[in-house]
Amino acid sequence: MESNRQKKFAGLLQEELAAIFQREGAAYLPNTLVTITKVRVSPDLAVAKVYLSFFNTNNTNLSVATVNSHAGEIRYKLGSRIRHQARVIPTLSFFVDDTNEYVERMDQIFDKIAKERKDNDNQEGED
């Protein structure tokens, strides 16, 4: 379970990384909108897992790999933004946040179940 300190630091990282991607994200991924959906920080605040959502891209795995290849540069820019607020600038690891895909898949399953129930109720009513 995350401590309040971890949550506050994660919120700061999320806000600052969002600003970095908003201003300079086109340099890494042209014509792609990157959203930071969640940041998880280790208890010692030295490692941050950053979950990204991509809009207007065909290959999310390639996009996250591209962002990971620029992790050092992004960390440097983050460091220059939070140097007065943090003692240590965390190592950044970027991951794809597939929550939206999961929600869509679950919605499709529930719609299918609802349709099957409706079809079964109609067939029972005809008997």
Side-chain angles (χ1 to χ4, degrees):
M1 196 163 123
E2 284 186 317
S3 68
N4 283 341
R5 183 172 172 237
Q6 286 173 280
K7 289 176 186 175
K8 282 184 180 180
F9 192 60
L12 172 69
L13 293 179
Q14 184 171 1
E15 189 176 314
E16 295 299 334
L17 285 170
I20 290 169
F21 276 103
Q22 186 177 17
R23 288 194 183 138
E24 302 166 27
Y28 310 125
L29 298 166
N31 301 322
T32 302
L33 177 67
V34 180
T35 306
I36 288 85
T37 56
K38 187 183 288 187
V39 177
R40 296 258 187 221
V41 183
S42 65
D44 63 354
L45 307 181
V47 178
K49 292 182 178 182
V50 182
Y51 294 89
L52 306 174
S53 177
F54 299 97
F55 181 72
N56 201 23
T57 185
N58 296 330
N59 189 344
T60 56
N61 292 331
L62 178 62
S63 298
V64 81
T66 303
V67 172
N68 270 314
S69 69
H70 293 284
E73 182 182 341
I74 295 168
R75 182 176 183 243
Y76 178 79
K77 290 176 182 178
L78 177 66
S80 65
R81 295 177 70 99
I82 67 169
R83 68 178 179 264
H84 299 297
Q85 298 164 316
R87 203 177 300 162
V88 175
I89 308 306
T91 303
L92 303 174
S93 298
F94 296 95
F95 301 93
V96 175
D97 182 14
D98 58 357
T99 305
N100 290 339
E101 294 170 14
Y102 178 76
V103 169
E104 287 177 21
R105 193 168 68 237
M106 295 308 290
D107 283 343
Q108 290 173 350
I109 291 170
F110 288 136
D111 289 344
K112 183 179 176 184
I113 291 170
K115 184 179 177 189
E116 288 174 0
R117 281 189 178 167
K118 185 177 177 184
D119 290 345
N120 286 342
D121 288 346
N122 288 340
Q123 288 176 355
E124 288 175 6
E126 292 173 0
D127 289 338

